Amino acid sequence: TKEIRQMLFTLRPLILESQGLVAALEQLRQKFQETSAVTLHLEADREVDRLLAKDTKGSVFYIVEEATTNARKHAQADNIWIRLFQRGMNVVAEVEDDGKGFDVVAMEANYASRGSLGMINLRERAILAKGKTVIHSSPGKGTKIVVTVPISEPEDEGEAEVAERPGL
C-alpha cells in the first residue's frame, strides 16, 4: 500500500501546487523513507519557491524524483542528498549519492540500446524549464546530478484573473 501511495504521489503531488516545491520535496523524502532503507537527506532553501514559476517547480520536482529513484534502484547507496538553492540568477537542484557510481561516457554511448529513458527524461525536463542537467559520476565514487534552471517569475494568478475580465 505504501508503494502504491508513493507512486500516486509522484504522478501528481498535490502539495506541489498548494504548498510549493520545498514542501513537496520534504514529503518526497518522508515517503521515500517509508519504502527504502537508503537515507534521504534534504537541504532546501525555502526562498527558492518564490523564485520559480509553477511549471518550473514541477519540472524540478520530477527531475529530483527521477534522480532519487534511479539512485535507489541502481547506486547501491547508503545515503542520497537532495540540495536546492539559489546561485546567482539560477536555481540549482542537486541529487548526490554515495553509491557505486558509473562511467558516464560509456553509459551514454550505449544508452539507446538499453531501452531506458531515465537519463533522457532528466535532460529533457530541464530543457523544458530552459535549464540543463549535468551528470558527474565515476565507478566507485558515487553520482551527482546537477540541474540548473533560470529564475522565472512566478505567475500571480490573482492578477491574471482580474486582467482577463472585461471592464476592469
Side-chain angles (χ1 to χ4, degrees):
T1 303
K2 286 181 181 180
E3 288 179 11
I4 291 171
R5 287 184 180 171
Q6 173 69 15
M7 283 186 350
L8 291 173
F9 168 73
T10 57
L11 287 173
R12 180 155 174 136
L14 297 177
I15 193 169
L16 181 61
E17 295 174 20
S18 63
Q19 296 180 36
L21 178 58
V22 175
L25 291 175
E26 287 173 351
Q27 191 170 27
L28 174 69
R29 187 193 63 74
Q30 291 169 356
K31 291 185 179 301
F32 186 94
Q33 291 304 153
E34 291 174 4
T35 60
S36 178
V38 179
T39 302
L40 184 60
H41 309 271
L42 175 63
E43 303 165 15
D45 179 356
R46 295 195 174 278
E47 292 299 309
V48 166
D49 267 318
R50 68 177 183 75
L51 302 174
L52 297 175
K54 184 171 74 171
D55 289 345
T56 305
K57 289 177 193 179
S59 293
V60 170
F61 175 83
Y62 288 116
I63 292 167
V64 169
E65 189 277 327
E66 177 75 21
T68 56
T69 297
N70 287 346
R72 185 186 73 223
K73 286 181 180 177
H74 306 294
Q76 299 173 356
D78 294 321
N79 295 281
I80 300 171
W81 293 268
I82 298 172
R83 297 180 194 95
L84 183 69
F85 56 93
Q86 179 181 0
R87 181 186 295 147
M89 295 303 293
N90 296 299
V91 169
V92 178
E94 298 176 344
V95 178
E96 183 175 8
D97 67 65
D98 60 2
K100 65 181 184 176
F102 61 95
D103 183 334
V104 176
V105 175
M107 184 273 307
E108 289 178 343
N110 70 7
Y111 203 74
S113 65
R114 292 181 50 208
S116 172
L117 299 174
M119 295 295 190
I120 293 170
N121 285 342
L122 295 180
R123 289 197 166 107
E124 287 180 351
R125 285 187 186 270
I127 290 168
L128 288 173
K130 299 180 177 85
K132 66 178 181 175
T133 301
V134 178
I135 302 167
H136 304 280
S137 188
S138 60
K141 304 224 181 206
T143 300
K144 184 178 193 178
I145 296 173
V146 181
V147 179
T148 306
V149 294
I151 291 173
S152 55
E153 292 296 318
E155 301 89 21
D156 187 342
E157 292 160 6
E159 285 183 19
E161 289 175 17
V162 171
E164 290 175 12
R165 282 189 248 152
L168 293 177

